[in-house]
Amino acid sequence: MSDGIRVTVWNEGIHEKQLKRCQETYPNGMGKAIGEYLEKQPGIGSVHYSELDSPEQGLADDVLNGTDVMTWWGHTAHDKVTDENAARVQKRVLEGMGLIVLHSGHMSKPFRRLMGTGCFLKWREHGDNGEKERLWVADPSHPIMNGIPEYIELPNTEMYGEPFGIPQPDQLVFISWFQGGEVFRSGCCWHREAGKVFYFRPGHETFPIYYNEHVRRVIYNAVLWAAPTRLAGGFTQGNVQPLEKME
Amino acid sequence: MSDGIRVTVWNEGIHEKQLKRCQETYPNGMGKAIGEYLEKQPGIGSVHYSELDSPEQGLADDVLNGTDVMTWWGHTAHDKVTDENAARVQKRVLEGMGLIVLHSGHMSKPFRRLMGTGCFLKWREHGDNGEKERLWVADPSHPIMNGIPEYIELPNTEMYGEPFGIPQPDQLVFISWFQGGEVFRSGCCWHREAGKVFYFRPGHETFPIYYNEHVRRVIYNAVLWAAPTRLAGGFTQGNVQPLEKME
Amino acid sequence: MSDGIRVTVWNEGIHEKQLKRCQETYPNGMGKAIGEYLEKQPGIGSVHYSELDSPEQGLADDVLNGTDVMTWWGHTAHDKVTDENAARVQKRVLEGMGLIVLHSGHMSKPFRRLMGTGCFLKWREHGDNGEKERLWVADPSHPIMNGIPEYIELPNTEMYGEPFGIPQPDQLVFISWFQGGEVFRSGCCWHREAGKVFYFRPGHETFPIYYNEHVRRVIYNAVLWAAPTRLAGGFTQGNVQPLEKME
Amino acid sequence: MSDGIRVTVWNEGIHEKQLKRCQETYPNGMGKAIGEYLEKQPGIGSVHYSELDSPEQGLADDVLNGTDVMTWWGHTAHDKVTDENAARVQKRVLEGMGLIVLHSGHMSKPFRRLMGTGCFLKWREHGDNGEKERLWVADPSHPIMNGIPEYIELPNTEMYGEPFGIPQPDQLVFISWFQGGEVFRSGCCWHREAGKVFYFRPGHETFPIYYNEHVRRVIYNAVLWAAPTRLAGGFTQGNVQPLEKME
């Protein structure tokens, strides 16, 4: 990775065209809000922006093959992503690409395929201002926690609550508290064959969460963590000769 | 579970019709070899036998809804199981049904959907007699280890080797040694939403592995372990009211 | 376990002698409040009561050797338990005895020895009535969740908050929400050699938490889960002969 | 970590004084064989060498406080390390120091305290040349696997076999095959509060294992992985005020 990690920010890009409040909060789009911080960080080689409206839904072979870590934000059009493209993202993760799934991306096709579960959850939008969330650090030794205080407080959020239909995380790094009475596993790490997946709950199409310095730092840390190990070899079904003599 | 666990033994049932050596080893079929031991064990309510050739591939709604734990053996016709039926097995597991996946079932559609990975592995058939395998107990506290010695030795097996493209098991209970020089995670437990999945490597269409007393005991223990917890409620995507007053 | 699980309820037994409010809440002592429910449940063979003031601190060899699962409540006198006795409890767990550690038992010597960490946490006693806690089910497939609703609400509790200095649980089954703004991993399972350990947060010397039907059910379920697998053999350091011929 | 990771190589240093064959294999001592490779790698700031015979057993406060990651080799004198020093190493790990425990270090006091278990295993020294070991990669996505082939073959080793009395690793990265018929979890990662622990099986006082390029690379990768996250804050028992208003 001598030239830095190649990041692709995948953004559904629909709320930006339809919701006035989204436009006000994210005048350059949510993708740019996520990527502009990454662009300036050490170790990042490049940030590419893809949207559902991009050619081949922003998931063409040359995009995927040129991506070390992809961030994924989608909400209202999960079904529009073709099964073929979802399968290709899944395949690339299994081959080593990191995947950072944000907020409502829990219902995206690539994430659900990689988890093997329904990924359902409870949710609530409360009035115009949502409600308070506090993300508590559950594993301070994890590299994604680098530079993060013992909790991140977000004053205005949409609630997500347990039960969250995911496999037990390999490492659980954040647990959220919500004003309305719920909890949520809001930072979850999984290894999947040669790749890594991080689910990070914060985000919303109208709340300015992707400008929060701690949220941005977590996403950046997660990109560093999810960058491919670049192991020689991969996973294949193969018929092999014995390594030992067998009479 | 006052009337005992309702088991369905699902068997592909093709080698039995085509391979003379399979017929010699398993004159009543592999399904029966797996189920006949279970039928006599305490806590088992019933054992139902399903095959790929059964109506609706042996996976009709009334079969699935009447099953607490399903064992799955398939090898040569994974693709024949329809995507719809594979999805229904997956859904039932997420709702609580236990699933015991045996040997070459690692490439079955329901297992791969539940894992979210490719589930590939190395393999080797060595001459007529295969090679020696020794399954070492890696977690003696696990209920599936009840009554099992510190290792199970199988003199004639087909080799399966790492890397095995699965998510890290929630509990790894067996690790196999092979004569030819490989190792394999051969007993793996996962929780998936309300259900449990156990992958158990031993088995083959011509080697008499499903008559081995320890292999049978492990499958029985796994049925007890995978039986549904029958939790009230389930996993749904839902919009909920706050539990706390929010001004 | 044909005659049922032999439970020992270990209770520090000091608040009962010193705190009027403890005596009012638990007129027969906290140990009895924990054990009287277990005594009536199916699968329980016997319930023995031990206290710090019992001979050999209630941890004599014949007590430990005759115990399948021990529940542990202590708070104000952790240091009074001798290092020798703490080491013997640890050793028995590694040999297969289940251990259910309750509430302030997180600072007990046997628990800290088994975890290998400090086991520190945040805490708060708020006025006479404490504050509200809600324990959310994080793993509905787990046997300890049998018969438990999606959350347990306790109106009056002492708060415990993250970071909780424990090893990542092998299975995390409850996450708590607190009125004052914190979260906590309040139901945690670990396998330790041939034994199992469950930490369960609810409890207090003056709040009537051990009369709550759900709390009692969880403790009972945990006893069933933690009962020894009774594997032949154990863990020893040993010099062994090769199983294969080596020239 | 702008000036690089500060490594301390702790070496018991007794076989070097007593065993001719150890002197022949490791003329500069085992510590130097482990450290000389690290000294030249990118990201390493300094390598300090400590031995049991060093002042304060090489574990003085200024040594521990100036160490980001410690490697530990001991075999014949585990009991000579004082309980106080073992407790101080444990405490430093919980505060963030990485610890790489090598081969027979599985019986060292700091490791056993951090694991909370006995850490026993089977072992065998076979003639003058030992036997063949093959370490298979079990998690190719893990950063410790960077640059490592699908297996590492060591022609001459002392055998270590399961059951290995450790807590289930948070990530299991290597599984060993032995010529004599055993398997072993030979690369194991744990998070412990703010610190990380890696157990790596290869090594011996007379076999030249610490000159093997892959073994050296694994130790280096593990140092990078175990370097402290340097989270603000730590783990303490503390009484805290509520974050939310409570009437």
Side-chain angles (χ1 to χ4, degrees):
Chain A
M1 227 98 57
S2 55
D3 299 320
I5 299 168
R6 301 164 300 169
V7 178
T8 293
V9 173
W10 193 92
N11 180 31
E12 194 180 77
I14 291 182
H15 290 309
E16 286 89 340
K17 294 169 190 148
Q18 298 182 340
L19 277 185
K20 185 156 175 256
R21 216 177 139 188
C22 179
Q23 291 157 2
E24 288 167 356
T25 306
Y26 295 108
N28 301 315
M30 301 180 69
K32 190 67 184 169
I34 292 162
E36 67 187 8
Y37 176 85
L38 294 175
E39 288 175 6
K40 297 173 207 149
Q41 302 310 311
I44 304 295
S46 62
V47 178
H48 172 76
Y49 295 87
S50 272
E51 297 212 342
L52 184 59
D53 278 355
S54 304
E56 299 190 46
Q57 305 193 316
L59 302 167
D61 271 338
D62 63 326
V63 173
L64 288 177
N65 293 336
T67 299
D68 292 315
V69 180
M70 177 172 279
T71 70
W72 189 283
W73 201 96
H75 179 220
T76 194
H78 294 313
D79 285 351
K80 293 252 164 57
V81 175
T82 66
D83 286 348
E84 290 70 24
N85 281 339
R88 287 164 66 248
V89 173
Q90 177 188 24
K91 183 167 176 289
R92 272 292 291 163
V93 170
L94 299 180
E95 291 169 357
M97 185 181 80
L99 184 66
I100 318 290
V101 177
L102 298 167
H103 192 62
S104 45
H106 73 95
M107 285 298 284
S108 67
K109 286 182 181 178
F111 184 64
R112 297 179 81 194
R113 290 178 77 104
L114 282 159
M115 295 294 104
T117 55
C119 303
F120 295 122
L121 50 78
K122 286 195 180 62
W123 58 277
R124 172 175 60 242
E125 291 187 308
H126 182 76
D128 280 351
N129 294 319
E131 66 197 271
K132 193 190 296 177
E133 175 181 10
R134 204 173 275 118
L135 295 104
W136 287 93
V137 172
D139 182 352
S141 71
H142 200 281
I144 295 181
M145 297 301 101
N146 196 357
I148 304 302
E150 71 172 355
Y151 65 85
I152 301 174
E153 187 167 313
L154 301 173
N156 308 103
T157 67
E158 178 188 2
M159 185 281 292
Y160 278 8
E162 296 284 341
F164 184 20
I166 49 167
Q168 173 173 300
D170 291 343
Q171 299 117 30
L172 173 64
V173 300
F174 280 119
I175 299 172
S176 281
W177 175 98
F178 287 96
Q179 200 174 352
E182 291 87 1
V183 297
F184 194 72
R185 289 171 290 173
S186 49
C188 301
C189 300
W190 294 273
H191 292 198
R192 284 298 178 268
E193 298 196 4
K196 303 188 197 77
V197 179
F198 182 57
Y199 175 77
F200 189 43
R201 199 205 85 81
H204 195 257
E205 60 270 20
T206 66
F207 298 130
I209 288 169
Y210 292 125
Y211 300 120
N212 178 288
E213 62 171 330
H214 295 310
V215 169
R216 287 177 152 195
R217 177 68 187 267
V218 168
I219 295 173
Y220 167 56
N221 288 346
V223 167
L224 297 180
W225 170 80
T229 299
R230 298 194 181 286
L231 182 85
F235 285 77
T236 49
Q237 181 86 347
N239 187 345
V240 295
Q241 294 302 309
L243 298 162
E244 301 297 311
K245 258 186 302 183
M246 292 195 291
E247 59 281 4
Chain B
M1 226 100 56
S2 53
D3 299 319
I5 299 168
R6 299 165 303 169
V7 178
T8 293
V9 173
W10 193 93
N11 181 32
E12 195 180 75
I14 292 182
H15 291 308
E16 286 90 339
K17 294 167 189 149
Q18 299 181 340
L19 278 186
K20 183 156 177 253
R21 217 179 137 186
C22 180
Q23 290 157 2
E24 289 167 357
T25 307
Y26 295 108
N28 301 314
M30 300 181 70
K32 190 66 185 171
I34 292 163
E36 67 187 9
Y37 177 85
L38 294 175
E39 288 176 6
K40 297 172 205 151
Q41 302 310 310
I44 303 296
S46 62
V47 178
H48 172 77
Y49 295 87
S50 272
E51 296 211 345
L52 184 59
D53 278 355
S54 304
E56 299 189 47
Q57 306 192 315
L59 302 168
D61 271 337
D62 62 326
V63 173
L64 288 177
N65 292 336
T67 300
D68 293 315
V69 180
M70 177 172 280
T71 69
W72 189 282
W73 202 95
H75 179 220
T76 195
H78 294 313
D79 285 350
K80 294 252 164 57
V81 175
T82 67
D83 286 348
E84 291 69 26
N85 281 339
R88 288 164 65 247
V89 173
Q90 177 187 25
K91 182 167 176 289
R92 272 292 291 163
V93 170
L94 300 179
E95 291 169 357
M97 184 180 80
L99 184 67
I100 317 291
V101 177
L102 297 167
H103 192 63
S104 46
H106 74 94
M107 285 298 286
S108 67
K109 287 184 181 177
F111 184 64
R112 297 178 81 194
R113 292 179 75 105
L114 282 159
M115 296 295 104
T117 54
C119 303
F120 295 123
L121 49 79
K122 284 195 182 62
W123 60 277
R124 172 176 59 242
E125 291 187 307
H126 182 77
D128 279 352
N129 294 317
E131 65 196 272
K132 192 190 295 178
E133 175 181 8
R134 204 173 275 117
L135 296 105
W136 287 94
V137 171
D139 182 353
S141 70
H142 199 282
I144 295 181
M145 296 302 101
N146 195 358
I148 304 300
E150 71 173 353
Y151 64 84
I152 301 174
E153 187 167 313
L154 301 174
N156 308 101
T157 68
E158 178 188 2
M159 185 279 293
Y160 277 7
E162 297 283 341
F164 185 18
I166 49 167
Q168 172 173 299
D170 292 342
Q171 299 117 31
L172 173 63
V173 299
F174 280 118
I175 299 172
S176 280
W177 176 97
F178 287 96
Q179 201 174 351
E182 292 86 1
V183 298
F184 194 71
R185 288 171 290 173
S186 49
C188 301
C189 301
W190 296 273
H191 292 198
R192 284 297 179 269
E193 297 196 5
K196 303 188 197 79
V197 179
F198 181 57
Y199 175 77
F200 188 43
R201 200 206 86 81
H204 196 257
E205 60 271 19
T206 66
F207 298 130
I209 288 170
Y210 292 126
Y211 301 119
N212 178 288
E213 62 171 329
H214 295 310
V215 169
R216 288 178 152 191
R217 178 67 187 268
V218 168
I219 295 173
Y220 167 56
N221 288 346
V223 167
L224 297 179
W225 170 80
T229 299
R230 298 193 180 287
L231 181 84
F235 286 76
T236 48
Q237 180 87 348
N239 186 345
V240 296
Q241 295 301 309
L243 297 162
E244 300 297 310
K245 258 187 299 184
M246 292 195 291
E247 61 283 5
Chain C
M1 227 101 55
S2 54
D3 299 320
I5 299 167
R6 300 164 302 170
V7 177
T8 293
V9 174
W10 194 92
N11 181 32
E12 194 179 77
I14 292 182
H15 290 309
E16 287 89 339
K17 293 170 191 148
Q18 298 180 340
L19 276 186
K20 185 156 176 254
R21 214 175 141 190
C22 179
Q23 291 156 1
E24 288 166 357
T25 307
Y26 294 109
N28 301 315
M30 301 181 71
K32 189 67 184 172
I34 291 163
E36 68 187 8
Y37 176 85
L38 294 175
E39 287 176 6
K40 297 173 206 148
Q41 302 310 310
I44 303 296
S46 62
V47 178
H48 172 77
Y49 295 88
S50 271
E51 298 211 344
L52 185 59
D53 279 355
S54 304
E56 300 189 46
Q57 305 193 317
L59 301 168
D61 271 337
D62 63 325
V63 173
L64 288 176
N65 292 336
T67 299
D68 293 314
V69 180
M70 177 173 280
T71 70
W72 189 283
W73 203 95
H75 179 219
T76 195
H78 294 314
D79 285 350
K80 294 251 165 58
V81 175
T82 66
D83 286 348
E84 290 70 24
N85 281 339
R88 287 163 67 248
V89 173
Q90 178 187 24
K91 182 165 176 289
R92 272 293 291 163
V93 170
L94 299 180
E95 290 169 356
M97 185 181 80
L99 184 67
I100 318 291
V101 177
L102 298 167
H103 192 62
S104 46
H106 73 95
M107 285 299 284
S108 67
K109 286 183 180 179
F111 184 65
R112 299 179 81 193
R113 292 178 76 104
L114 281 159
M115 296 293 104
T117 55
C119 303
F120 295 122
L121 48 79
K122 286 195 180 61
W123 59 277
R124 173 175 59 242
E125 291 187 308
H126 182 76
D128 279 351
N129 294 318
E131 66 196 272
K132 193 191 296 178
E133 174 181 11
R134 204 175 276 116
L135 295 105
W136 287 92
V137 172
D139 182 352
S141 72
H142 200 281
I144 295 181
M145 296 301 101
N146 196 359
I148 304 301
E150 71 174 353
Y151 64 85
I152 301 174
E153 188 167 312
L154 301 173
N156 308 101
T157 67
E158 177 187 4
M159 185 282 291
Y160 278 8
E162 296 283 341
F164 184 20
I166 49 168
Q168 174 174 298
D170 292 341
Q171 299 118 32
L172 173 63
V173 299
F174 280 118
I175 298 172
S176 280
W177 176 98
F178 287 96
Q179 201 174 351
E182 291 87 0
V183 298
F184 194 71
R185 289 172 289 172
S186 48
C188 301
C189 300
W190 295 272
H191 292 199
R192 284 298 179 266
E193 298 197 3
K196 304 189 194 77
V197 179
F198 182 57
Y199 175 78
F200 189 44
R201 199 206 85 81
H204 196 256
E205 61 270 20
T206 66
F207 298 131
I209 287 169
Y210 292 125
Y211 301 119
N212 179 288
E213 61 172 331
H214 295 310
V215 169
R216 288 178 152 194
R217 179 66 186 269
V218 168
I219 295 173
Y220 168 56
N221 288 346
V223 167
L224 297 179
W225 170 80
T229 298
R230 297 193 181 287
L231 182 84
F235 286 76
T236 49
Q237 181 86 347
N239 187 345
V240 296
Q241 293 302 308
L243 297 162
E244 301 296 312
K245 260 186 299 184
M246 292 195 291
E247 59 282 4
Chain D
M1 226 101 53
S2 53
D3 300 320
I5 299 168
R6 301 165 300 169
V7 177
T8 293
V9 173
W10 193 92
N11 181 30
E12 195 180 76
I14 292 183
H15 290 309
E16 287 89 339
K17 295 169 190 147
Q18 299 180 339
L19 277 185
K20 185 157 176 253
R21 217 178 138 184
C22 179
Q23 290 157 2
E24 288 166 357
T25 307
Y26 295 108
N28 301 314
M30 301 181 70
K32 190 66 183 171
I34 291 163
E36 67 187 8
Y37 176 85
L38 295 175
E39 287 176 8
K40 298 172 205 152
Q41 303 310 310
I44 304 296
S46 62
V47 178
H48 172 77
Y49 296 87
S50 272
E51 297 212 344
L52 184 59
D53 278 356
S54 304
E56 299 190 46
Q57 307 193 314
L59 302 168
D61 271 336
D62 63 327
V63 173
L64 288 177
N65 293 336
T67 300
D68 293 315
V69 180
M70 178 171 279
T71 69
W72 189 283
W73 202 95
H75 180 219
T76 195
H78 294 313
D79 285 351
K80 294 251 163 59
V81 175
T82 66
D83 287 347
E84 291 68 25
N85 281 339
R88 288 164 65 247
V89 174
Q90 177 187 26
K91 181 165 177 289
R92 272 292 292 163
V93 170
L94 299 179
E95 291 169 357
M97 184 181 79
L99 184 67
I100 318 290
V101 177
L102 297 167
H103 192 62
S104 46
H106 73 95
M107 285 299 285
S108 67
K109 286 184 181 177
F111 184 64
R112 297 179 81 194
R113 292 179 75 105
L114 282 159
M115 295 295 103
T117 54
C119 303
F120 295 123
L121 49 78
K122 285 194 181 62
W123 59 277
R124 173 176 59 241
E125 290 187 307
H126 182 75
D128 278 351
N129 294 317
E131 64 196 274
K132 192 190 296 177
E133 174 181 11
R134 204 174 274 118
L135 296 103
W136 287 92
V137 172
D139 181 353
S141 71
H142 200 282
I144 295 181
M145 296 301 101
N146 197 358
I148 304 301
E150 71 174 354
Y151 64 85
I152 301 173
E153 188 167 314
L154 301 173
N156 308 102
T157 68
E158 177 188 1
M159 185 280 292
Y160 277 9
E162 297 282 341
F164 185 19
I166 49 168
Q168 172 173 299
D170 292 343
Q171 299 117 32
L172 173 64
V173 300
F174 280 118
I175 298 172
S176 281
W177 176 96
F178 287 96
Q179 201 174 352
E182 292 87 1
V183 298
F184 194 71
R185 289 172 290 173
S186 49
C188 301
C189 301
W190 295 272
H191 292 198
R192 285 297 178 268
E193 297 196 5
K196 303 188 197 77
V197 179
F198 182 57
Y199 175 78
F200 188 43
R201 198 204 87 81
H204 196 257
E205 60 271 20
T206 65
F207 298 131
I209 288 170
Y210 292 125
Y211 301 119
N212 179 288
E213 62 171 330
H214 296 310
V215 168
R216 288 177 152 193
R217 178 67 188 268
V218 168
I219 295 173
Y220 168 55
N221 287 346
V223 167
L224 297 179
W225 170 80
T229 299
R230 297 192 181 288
L231 181 85
F235 286 78
T236 49
Q237 181 88 347
N239 186 345
V240 296
Q241 293 302 310
L243 297 163
E244 300 296 313
K245 259 187 300 184
M246 292 195 291
E247 61 280 4

